Amino acid sequence: MRQLLYISTAAPGAGIDIGEILAISMRNNRREGVTGLLWTDAHRFLQVLEGPEEAVQGVLGRIKIDARHRGIVVLQDRTIAVREFGAWEMARRGPGDTADAFDGRMRQYLAGASPSVRGTFEGLIAARRAA
Ligand SMILES: Cc1cc2nc3c(=O)[nH]c(=O)nc-3n(C[C@H](O)[C@H](O)[C@H](O)COP(=O)(O)O)c2cc1C
């Protein structure tokens, strides 16, 4: 099984509808056996995708040509024996979310993740919060 972690930046003025990305991704990823986590603050995206080699490759191919974001950099690409994410989730801090509530949710999503994957999510979230 393949696990891939990338970061990207929302294209300016792309008018991104996060709900639409979520709905399409959930449908496609479930069908293709892809699990993972997409974090966004509407400016940056950090996403881990895992599943059968060909399925992950297919999803990545579609994501790469999506004009809604740019500057896609693969941070980690490796073979894993067991999934670290049981489902496909999206994490975004909503307007009514306290930092504590959001952090608690992230801890749950990342509970089974390897230290490097968890560290990357936690590092980016801390950096964006400090900015
Ligand atoms: C940041 C970002 C993350 C995305 N993640 C996924 C994903 O995990 N799975 C997926 O199928 N599409 C994802 N998409 C959408 C794809 O780029 C593409 O629009 C979609 O897969 C097309 O699906 P369709 O051929 O069923 O219309 C993502 C798009 C963006 C901008």
Side-chain angles (χ1 to χ4, degrees):
M1 211 160 355
R2 183 174 177 192
Q3 186 192 65
L4 195 127
L5 178 68
Y6 78 83
I7 190 168
S8 68
T9 303
I16 293 179
D17 181 343
I18 300 286
E20 189 204 329
I21 292 178
L22 176 66
I24 286 174
S25 301
M26 283 192 131
R27 188 197 61 205
N28 288 349
N29 296 0
R30 193 172 296 149
R31 185 186 63 218
E32 294 166 32
V34 171
T35 51
L37 176 66
L38 171 64
W39 173 90
T40 186
D41 62 358
H43 177 54
R44 301 262 184 213
F45 297 103
L46 181 64
Q47 182 169 30
V48 58
L49 296 164
E50 61 185 19
E53 170 69 37
E54 276 164 35
V56 170
Q57 194 56 39
V59 174
L60 182 67
R62 293 200 302 271
I63 289 175
K64 271 187 166 169
I65 57 166
D66 194 319
R68 289 174 287 189
H69 63 165
R70 62 186 190 184
I72 298 167
V73 176
V74 174
L75 301 174
Q76 191 173 293
D77 187 357
R78 62 186 187 132
T79 301
I80 49 168
V82 277
R83 286 179 197 272
E84 295 178 3
F85 296 84
W88 191 81
E89 306 279 8
M90 175 143 161
R92 188 186 188 197
R93 190 168 159 193
D97 259 349
T98 62
D100 278 354
F102 179 72
D103 288 347
R105 223 164 52 237
M106 284 306 293
R107 261 198 305 279
Q108 272 186 329
Y109 292 145
L110 294 169
S114 64
S116 63
V117 169
R118 186 180 314 126
T120 305
F121 275 93
E122 289 174 351
L124 178 64
I125 291 166
R128 296 296 298 160
R129 204 171 275 170

mmCIF file of all heavy atoms in Angstrom, residues 24-34 62:
data_model
loop_
_atom_site.group_PDB
_atom_site.id
_atom_site.type_symbol
_atom_site.label_atom_id
_atom_site.label_comp_id
_atom_site.label_asym_id
_atom_site.label_seq_id
_atom_site.Cartn_x
_atom_site.Cartn_y
_atom_site.Cartn_z
ATOM 1 N N ILE A 24 -16.979 15.403 -3.223
ATOM 2 C CA ILE A 24 -16.442 14.626 -4.356
ATOM 3 C C ILE A 24 -15.362 13.663 -3.879
ATOM 4 O O ILE A 24 -15.304 12.502 -4.304
ATOM 5 C CB ILE A 24 -15.910 15.582 -5.452
ATOM 6 C CG1 ILE A 24 -17.099 16.209 -6.177
ATOM 7 C CG2 ILE A 24 -15.000 14.862 -6.431
ATOM 8 C CD1 ILE A 24 -16.755 17.270 -7.187
ATOM 9 N N SER A 25 -14.508 14.157 -2.978
ATOM 10 C CA SER A 25 -13.418 13.310 -2.489
ATOM 11 C C SER A 25 -13.953 12.113 -1.711
ATOM 12 O O SER A 25 -13.453 11.001 -1.856
ATOM 13 C CB SER A 25 -12.483 14.123 -1.589
ATOM 14 O OG SER A 25 -11.954 15.209 -2.306
ATOM 15 N N MET A 26 -14.945 12.359 -0.883
ATOM 16 C CA MET A 26 -15.492 11.249 -0.091
ATOM 17 C C MET A 26 -16.062 10.177 -0.998
ATOM 18 O O MET A 26 -15.841 8.989 -0.808
ATOM 19 C CB MET A 26 -16.540 11.747 0.889
ATOM 20 C CG MET A 26 -15.906 12.419 2.070
ATOM 21 S SD MET A 26 -17.090 12.697 3.376
ATOM 22 C CE MET A 26 -16.188 12.037 4.765
ATOM 23 N N ARG A 27 -16.778 10.628 -2.022
ATOM 24 C CA ARG A 27 -17.377 9.666 -2.948
ATOM 25 C C ARG A 27 -16.301 8.886 -3.704
ATOM 26 O O ARG A 27 -16.287 7.663 -3.711
ATOM 27 C CB ARG A 27 -18.276 10.424 -3.939
ATOM 28 C CG ARG A 27 -19.106 9.517 -4.827
ATOM 29 C CD ARG A 27 -19.631 10.274 -6.032
ATOM 30 N NE ARG A 27 -18.534 10.780 -6.847
ATOM 31 C CZ ARG A 27 -18.616 11.834 -7.656
ATOM 32 N NH1 ARG A 27 -19.727 12.520 -7.731
ATOM 33 N NH2 ARG A 27 -17.587 12.214 -8.386
ATOM 34 N N ASN A 28 -15.354 9.613 -4.308
ATOM 35 C CA ASN A 28 -14.315 8.958 -5.107
ATOM 36 C C ASN A 28 -13.410 8.071 -4.253
ATOM 37 O O ASN A 28 -13.089 6.945 -4.630
ATOM 38 C CB ASN A 28 -13.435 10.008 -5.801
ATOM 39 C CG ASN A 28 -14.164 10.700 -6.934
ATOM 40 O OD1 ASN A 28 -15.230 10.274 -7.343
ATOM 41 N ND2 ASN A 28 -13.586 11.776 -7.430
ATOM 42 N N ASN A 29 -12.974 8.614 -3.107
ATOM 43 C CA ASN A 29 -11.990 7.887 -2.307
ATOM 44 C C ASN A 29 -12.593 6.621 -1.703
ATOM 45 O O ASN A 29 -11.912 5.599 -1.612
ATOM 46 C CB ASN A 29 -11.418 8.792 -1.217
ATOM 47 C CG ASN A 29 -10.638 9.967 -1.804
ATOM 48 O OD1 ASN A 29 -10.540 10.098 -3.021
ATOM 49 N ND2 ASN A 29 -10.094 10.808 -0.961
ATOM 50 N N ARG A 30 -13.835 6.708 -1.333
ATOM 51 C CA ARG A 30 -14.489 5.510 -0.787
ATOM 52 C C ARG A 30 -14.549 4.433 -1.863
ATOM 53 O O ARG A 30 -14.239 3.270 -1.624
ATOM 54 C CB ARG A 30 -15.884 5.861 -0.280
ATOM 55 C CG ARG A 30 -16.502 4.769 0.578
ATOM 56 C CD ARG A 30 -17.790 5.223 1.227
ATOM 57 N NE ARG A 30 -17.579 6.322 2.167
ATOM 58 C CZ ARG A 30 -18.472 7.266 2.425
ATOM 59 N NH1 ARG A 30 -19.619 7.284 1.783
ATOM 60 N NH2 ARG A 30 -18.227 8.204 3.302
ATOM 61 N N ARG A 31 -14.939 4.846 -3.057
ATOM 62 C CA ARG A 31 -15.045 3.911 -4.177
ATOM 63 C C ARG A 31 -13.692 3.270 -4.489
ATOM 64 O O ARG A 31 -13.606 2.088 -4.802
ATOM 65 C CB ARG A 31 -15.565 4.678 -5.402
ATOM 66 C CG ARG A 31 -15.849 3.826 -6.632
ATOM 67 C CD ARG A 31 -16.202 4.709 -7.816
ATOM 68 N NE ARG A 31 -15.084 5.578 -8.172
ATOM 69 C CZ ARG A 31 -15.210 6.846 -8.572
ATOM 70 N NH1 ARG A 31 -16.384 7.418 -8.670
ATOM 71 N NH2 ARG A 31 -14.139 7.553 -8.882
ATOM 72 N N GLU A 32 -12.630 4.049 -4.360
ATOM 73 C CA GLU A 32 -11.306 3.560 -4.761
ATOM 74 C C GLU A 32 -10.470 3.031 -3.609
ATOM 75 O O GLU A 32 -9.310 2.670 -3.795
ATOM 76 C CB GLU A 32 -10.562 4.689 -5.496
ATOM 77 C CG GLU A 32 -11.241 5.020 -6.820
ATOM 78 C CD GLU A 32 -10.768 6.331 -7.436
ATOM 79 O OE1 GLU A 32 -9.604 6.684 -7.245
ATOM 80 O OE2 GLU A 32 -11.575 6.976 -8.118
ATOM 81 N N GLY A 33 -11.044 3.003 -2.416
ATOM 82 C CA GLY A 33 -10.313 2.447 -1.274
ATOM 83 C C GLY A 33 -9.181 3.340 -0.794
ATOM 84 O O GLY A 33 -8.184 2.857 -0.252
ATOM 85 N N VAL A 34 -9.357 4.648 -0.977
ATOM 86 C CA VAL A 34 -8.334 5.597 -0.533
ATOM 87 C C VAL A 34 -8.794 6.240 0.782
ATOM 88 O O VAL A 34 -9.925 6.708 0.900
ATOM 89 C CB VAL A 34 -8.091 6.686 -1.605
ATOM 90 C CG1 VAL A 34 -7.200 7.801 -1.078
ATOM 91 C CG2 VAL A 34 -7.475 6.054 -2.852
ATOM 92 N N ARG A 62 -5.339 13.385 -10.599
ATOM 93 C CA ARG A 62 -6.449 14.336 -10.722
ATOM 94 C C ARG A 62 -6.177 15.596 -9.909
ATOM 95 O O ARG A 62 -6.421 16.721 -10.355
ATOM 96 C CB ARG A 62 -7.763 13.687 -10.242
ATOM 97 C CG ARG A 62 -8.258 12.558 -11.126
ATOM 98 C CD ARG A 62 -9.740 12.298 -10.908
ATOM 99 N NE ARG A 62 -10.082 11.971 -9.529
ATOM 100 C CZ ARG A 62 -10.092 10.737 -9.028
ATOM 101 N NH1 ARG A 62 -9.754 9.717 -9.789
ATOM 102 N NH2 ARG A 62 -10.436 10.513 -7.777
#
